[in-house]
Amino acid sequence: MLDYALKHQDTVNTITQWWEVGLWKFELEDHEWTMLGQLRDVLKILKDATLYFSRATPNLTTVIPAMDHIYNMLTSYSHNKKYMLSICSAVQLTKNTLNRYYQLTDNSVTYQIAMVLHPQHKLAYFKATQWEDDWIETADRLVHEEFKCLYLSINDNSDVESKDNVFKSNDNVLMV
């Protein structure tokens, strides 16, 4: 909608200047058109994310990288001096709201384990995107604990120590 209005700015201005139909009160000033253009640019990341997630069923291993990308883009927008202060403030509020919900994934063992076990991501993803070391260590520990709890107890407990040596993780490989 913003794309359309901005593309047809001259036409919109002409129509809103018609006093006889009472649209003059909707006429935008130049700084408001500038704000609309900036708002369109900033909202594009959310539009793209919506389209991305509507094309296929999102899964745990696509949500986290997508959220990281959105967060990084919003951070960039909120600090960019080319945007009006009102846009930067709105982006910061959006980022704060997103972060509040995104942090809830830290409470989900499933998210952490899925990312660590994913062949493409593993712990290297979190290191590359500069996640906190504590979070990375916790995710690694959770995978080990879940394996020990759910899989080692299935087999003969007499050789648990030898199986502990088989389950090792590093940045690129997770062997079971």
Side-chain angles (χ1 to χ4, degrees), residues 92-120:
Q92 186 61 45
L93 290 171
T94 303
K95 193 175 98 166
N96 292 346
T97 302
L98 176 71
N99 199 38
R100 184 176 62 222
Y101 291 106
Y102 187 36
Q103 286 178 344
L104 294 175
T105 61
D106 288 347
N107 299 331
S108 172
V109 174
T110 307
Y111 269 104
Q112 293 168 322
I113 292 174
M115 289 297 287
V116 173
L117 292 179
H118 191 277
Q120 182 181 355

CSV table of all heavy atoms in Angstrom, one decimal, residues 92-120:
chain,number,residue,atom,x,y,z
A,92,GLN,N,13.2,1.1,17.1
A,92,GLN,CA,13.7,0.6,18.4
A,92,GLN,C,12.6,-0.1,19.2
A,92,GLN,O,12.9,-1.1,19.9
A,92,GLN,CB,14.4,1.8,19.2
A,92,GLN,CG,15.1,1.4,20.4
A,92,GLN,CD,16.2,0.4,20.2
A,92,GLN,OE1,17.0,0.6,19.3
A,92,GLN,NE2,16.3,-0.7,21.0
A,93,LEU,N,11.4,0.5,19.3
A,93,LEU,CA,10.3,-0.1,20.0
A,93,LEU,C,9.9,-1.5,19.4
A,93,LEU,O,9.7,-2.4,20.1
A,93,LEU,CB,9.1,0.8,20.0
A,93,LEU,CG,9.2,2.1,20.8
A,93,LEU,CD1,8.1,3.0,20.6
A,93,LEU,CD2,9.3,1.7,22.3
A,94,THR,N,10.0,-1.5,18.1
A,94,THR,CA,9.7,-2.8,17.4
A,94,THR,C,10.7,-3.8,17.7
A,94,THR,O,10.4,-5.0,18.0
A,94,THR,CB,9.7,-2.6,15.9
A,94,THR,OG1,8.7,-1.6,15.5
A,94,THR,CG2,9.4,-3.9,15.1
A,95,LYS,N,12.0,-3.4,17.7
A,95,LYS,CA,13.1,-4.3,18.1
A,95,LYS,C,12.9,-4.8,19.5
A,95,LYS,O,13.2,-6.0,19.8
A,95,LYS,CB,14.4,-3.6,17.9
A,95,LYS,CG,15.6,-4.5,17.9
A,95,LYS,CD,16.8,-3.7,17.6
A,95,LYS,CE,17.5,-3.3,18.8
A,95,LYS,NZ,18.9,-2.8,18.7
A,96,ASN,N,12.6,-3.9,20.4
A,96,ASN,CA,12.4,-4.3,21.8
A,96,ASN,C,11.3,-5.4,22.0
A,96,ASN,O,11.4,-6.3,22.7
A,96,ASN,CB,12.1,-3.1,22.7
A,96,ASN,CG,13.3,-2.2,22.8
A,96,ASN,OD1,14.4,-2.5,22.5
A,96,ASN,ND2,13.0,-1.0,23.3
A,97,THR,N,10.2,-5.1,21.3
A,97,THR,CA,9.1,-6.1,21.3
A,97,THR,C,9.5,-7.4,20.7
A,97,THR,O,9.2,-8.5,21.3
A,97,THR,CB,7.8,-5.5,20.6
A,97,THR,OG1,7.5,-4.3,21.1
A,97,THR,CG2,6.7,-6.5,20.6
A,98,LEU,N,10.1,-7.4,19.6
A,98,LEU,CA,10.6,-8.6,18.9
A,98,LEU,C,11.5,-9.4,19.9
A,98,LEU,O,11.4,-10.6,20.0
A,98,LEU,CB,11.3,-8.3,17.6
A,98,LEU,CG,11.9,-9.4,16.9
A,98,LEU,CD1,10.9,-10.3,16.3
A,98,LEU,CD2,12.9,-8.9,15.8
A,99,ASN,N,12.4,-8.7,20.5
A,99,ASN,CA,13.4,-9.3,21.4
A,99,ASN,C,12.7,-9.9,22.6
A,99,ASN,O,13.1,-11.0,23.0
A,99,ASN,CB,14.5,-8.3,21.8
A,99,ASN,CG,15.7,-9.0,22.3
A,99,ASN,OD1,16.1,-10.0,21.8
A,99,ASN,ND2,16.3,-8.4,23.3
A,100,ARG,N,11.7,-9.3,23.1
A,100,ARG,CA,11.0,-9.9,24.3
A,100,ARG,C,10.4,-11.2,23.9
A,100,ARG,O,10.5,-12.2,24.7
A,100,ARG,CB,9.9,-8.9,24.7
A,100,ARG,CG,9.2,-9.4,26.0
A,100,ARG,CD,8.1,-8.5,26.5
A,100,ARG,NE,7.1,-8.2,25.5
A,100,ARG,CZ,6.5,-7.1,25.3
A,100,ARG,NH1,6.9,-6.0,25.9
A,100,ARG,NH2,5.5,-7.0,24.4
A,101,TYR,N,9.8,-11.4,22.7
A,101,TYR,CA,9.3,-12.7,22.3
A,101,TYR,C,10.4,-13.6,21.9
A,101,TYR,O,10.3,-14.8,22.1
A,101,TYR,CB,8.2,-12.5,21.2
A,101,TYR,CG,7.0,-11.8,21.8
A,101,TYR,CD1,6.7,-10.5,21.5
A,101,TYR,CD2,6.1,-12.5,22.6
A,101,TYR,CE1,5.6,-9.8,22.0
A,101,TYR,CE2,5.0,-11.8,23.1
A,101,TYR,CZ,4.8,-10.5,22.8
A,101,TYR,OH,3.7,-9.9,23.3
A,102,TYR,N,11.4,-13.1,21.2
A,102,TYR,CA,12.5,-14.0,20.7
A,102,TYR,C,13.2,-14.6,21.9
A,102,TYR,O,13.6,-15.8,21.8
A,102,TYR,CB,13.4,-13.1,19.9
A,102,TYR,CG,14.5,-13.9,19.2
A,102,TYR,CD1,14.3,-15.2,18.7
A,102,TYR,CD2,15.7,-13.3,19.0
A,102,TYR,CE1,15.3,-15.8,18.0
A,102,TYR,CE2,16.7,-14.0,18.3
A,102,TYR,CZ,16.5,-15.2,17.8
A,102,TYR,OH,17.5,-15.9,17.2
A,103,GLN,N,13.4,-13.9,23.0
A,103,GLN,CA,14.1,-14.4,24.2
A,103,GLN,C,13.3,-15.6,24.8
A,103,GLN,O,13.9,-16.4,25.5
A,103,GLN,CB,14.3,-13.3,25.2
A,103,GLN,CG,15.4,-12.4,24.8
A,103,GLN,CD,15.5,-11.2,25.9
A,103,GLN,OE1,14.7,-11.0,26.7
A,103,GLN,NE2,16.6,-10.5,25.8
A,104,LEU,N,12.1,-15.7,24.5
A,104,LEU,CA,11.3,-16.9,25.0
A,104,LEU,C,11.8,-18.2,24.4
A,104,LEU,O,11.6,-19.3,25.0
A,104,LEU,CB,9.8,-16.7,24.7
A,104,LEU,CG,9.1,-15.6,25.4
A,104,LEU,CD1,7.7,-15.5,25.0
A,104,LEU,CD2,9.2,-15.7,26.9
A,105,THR,N,12.5,-18.1,23.2
A,105,THR,CA,13.1,-19.4,22.7
A,105,THR,C,14.2,-19.9,23.6
A,105,THR,O,14.5,-21.1,23.5
A,105,THR,CB,13.6,-19.2,21.3
A,105,THR,OG1,14.7,-18.2,21.3
A,105,THR,CG2,12.5,-18.7,20.3
A,106,ASP,N,14.8,-19.0,24.4
A,106,ASP,CA,15.8,-19.5,25.3
A,106,ASP,C,15.2,-20.5,26.3
A,106,ASP,O,15.9,-21.3,26.9
A,106,ASP,CB,16.5,-18.3,26.1
A,106,ASP,CG,17.4,-17.5,25.2
A,106,ASP,OD1,17.7,-18.0,24.1
A,106,ASP,OD2,17.8,-16.4,25.6
A,107,ASN,N,13.9,-20.4,26.6
A,107,ASN,CA,13.2,-21.2,27.5
A,107,ASN,C,12.9,-22.6,26.9
A,107,ASN,O,12.4,-23.4,27.6
A,107,ASN,CB,12.0,-20.6,28.1
A,107,ASN,CG,12.3,-19.3,28.8
A,107,ASN,OD1,13.4,-19.1,29.4
A,107,ASN,ND2,11.4,-18.3,28.8
A,108,SER,N,13.0,-22.7,25.6
A,108,SER,CA,12.6,-23.9,24.9
A,108,SER,C,13.9,-24.8,24.6
A,108,SER,O,14.7,-24.4,23.8
A,108,SER,CB,11.9,-23.6,23.6
A,108,SER,OG,11.7,-24.7,22.9
A,109,VAL,N,14.0,-25.9,25.3
A,109,VAL,CA,15.1,-26.8,25.1
A,109,VAL,C,15.0,-27.3,23.6
A,109,VAL,O,16.0,-27.5,23.0
A,109,VAL,CB,15.0,-28.0,26.1
A,109,VAL,CG1,16.0,-29.1,25.8
A,109,VAL,CG2,15.1,-27.5,27.5
A,110,THR,N,13.8,-27.4,23.1
A,110,THR,CA,13.6,-27.9,21.7
A,110,THR,C,14.3,-27.0,20.7
A,110,THR,O,15.0,-27.6,19.8
A,110,THR,CB,12.1,-28.0,21.4
A,110,THR,OG1,11.5,-28.8,22.4
A,110,THR,CG2,11.9,-28.7,20.0
A,111,TYR,N,14.2,-25.7,20.8
A,111,TYR,CA,14.9,-24.8,19.9
A,111,TYR,C,16.4,-25.0,20.0
A,111,TYR,O,17.1,-25.1,19.0
A,111,TYR,CB,14.6,-23.4,20.2
A,111,TYR,CG,13.4,-22.8,19.5
A,111,TYR,CD1,12.2,-22.6,20.2
A,111,TYR,CD2,13.5,-22.4,18.2
A,111,TYR,CE1,11.1,-22.1,19.5
A,111,TYR,CE2,12.4,-21.9,17.5
A,111,TYR,CZ,11.2,-21.7,18.2
A,111,TYR,OH,10.2,-21.2,17.5
A,112,GLN,N,16.9,-25.1,21.2
A,112,GLN,CA,18.4,-25.2,21.3
A,112,GLN,C,18.9,-26.5,20.8
A,112,GLN,O,19.9,-26.5,20.0
A,112,GLN,CB,18.7,-25.0,22.8
A,112,GLN,CG,18.4,-23.6,23.3
A,112,GLN,CD,18.5,-23.5,24.8
A,112,GLN,OE1,18.1,-24.4,25.5
A,112,GLN,NE2,19.0,-22.4,25.3
A,113,ILE,N,18.2,-27.6,21.1
A,113,ILE,CA,18.7,-28.9,20.6
A,113,ILE,C,18.5,-29.0,19.1
A,113,ILE,O,19.4,-29.5,18.4
A,113,ILE,CB,17.9,-30.0,21.3
A,113,ILE,CG1,18.3,-30.0,22.8
A,113,ILE,CG2,18.2,-31.3,20.7
A,113,ILE,CD1,17.5,-31.0,23.7
A,114,ALA,N,17.4,-28.5,18.6
A,114,ALA,CA,17.2,-28.6,17.1
A,114,ALA,C,18.3,-27.8,16.3
A,114,ALA,O,18.8,-28.3,15.3
A,114,ALA,CB,15.9,-28.0,16.7
A,115,MET,N,18.7,-26.7,16.8
A,115,MET,CA,19.8,-25.9,16.2
A,115,MET,C,21.1,-26.6,16.3
A,115,MET,O,21.9,-26.6,15.3
A,115,MET,CB,19.8,-24.5,16.7
A,115,MET,CG,18.7,-23.6,16.4
A,115,MET,SD,18.5,-23.3,14.6
A,115,MET,CE,19.9,-22.2,14.3
A,116,VAL,N,21.4,-27.1,17.4
A,116,VAL,CA,22.7,-27.8,17.6
A,116,VAL,C,22.8,-29.1,16.8
A,116,VAL,O,23.9,-29.4,16.2
A,116,VAL,CB,23.0,-28.1,19.1
A,116,VAL,CG1,24.2,-28.9,19.3
A,116,VAL,CG2,23.1,-26.8,19.9
A,117,LEU,N,21.7,-29.8,16.7
A,117,LEU,CA,21.7,-31.0,15.9
A,117,LEU,C,21.6,-30.8,14.4
A,117,LEU,O,21.8,-31.8,13.6
A,117,LEU,CB,20.6,-32.0,16.4
A,117,LEU,CG,20.9,-32.5,17.8
A,117,LEU,CD1,19.7,-33.4,18.2
A,117,LEU,CD2,22.2,-33.2,17.9
A,118,HIS,N,21.1,-29.7,14.0
A,118,HIS,CA,20.9,-29.4,12.5
A,118,HIS,C,22.2,-29.5,11.8
A,118,HIS,O,23.2,-28.8,12.2
A,118,HIS,CB,20.2,-28.1,12.3
A,118,HIS,CG,19.8,-27.9,10.9
A,118,HIS,ND1,20.6,-27.4,9.9
A,118,HIS,CD2,18.5,-28.1,10.4
A,118,HIS,CE1,19.9,-27.4,8.8
A,118,HIS,NE2,18.6,-27.7,9.1
A,119,PRO,N,22.3,-30.3,10.7
A,119,PRO,CA,23.6,-30.5,10.0
A,119,PRO,C,24.2,-29.2,9.5
A,119,PRO,O,25.4,-29.0,9.4
A,119,PRO,CB,23.2,-31.4,8.8
A,119,PRO,CG,21.9,-32.0,9.2
A,119,PRO,CD,21.2,-31.1,10.2
A,120,GLN,N,23.4,-28.2,9.1
A,120,GLN,CA,23.9,-26.9,8.6
A,120,GLN,C,24.3,-26.0,9.7
A,120,GLN,O,25.2,-25.2,9.5
A,120,GLN,CB,22.8,-26.3,7.7
A,120,GLN,CG,23.3,-25.0,7.1
A,120,GLN,CD,22.1,-24.3,6.3
A,120,GLN,OE1,21.1,-24.9,6.1
A,120,GLN,NE2,22.4,-23.1,5.8
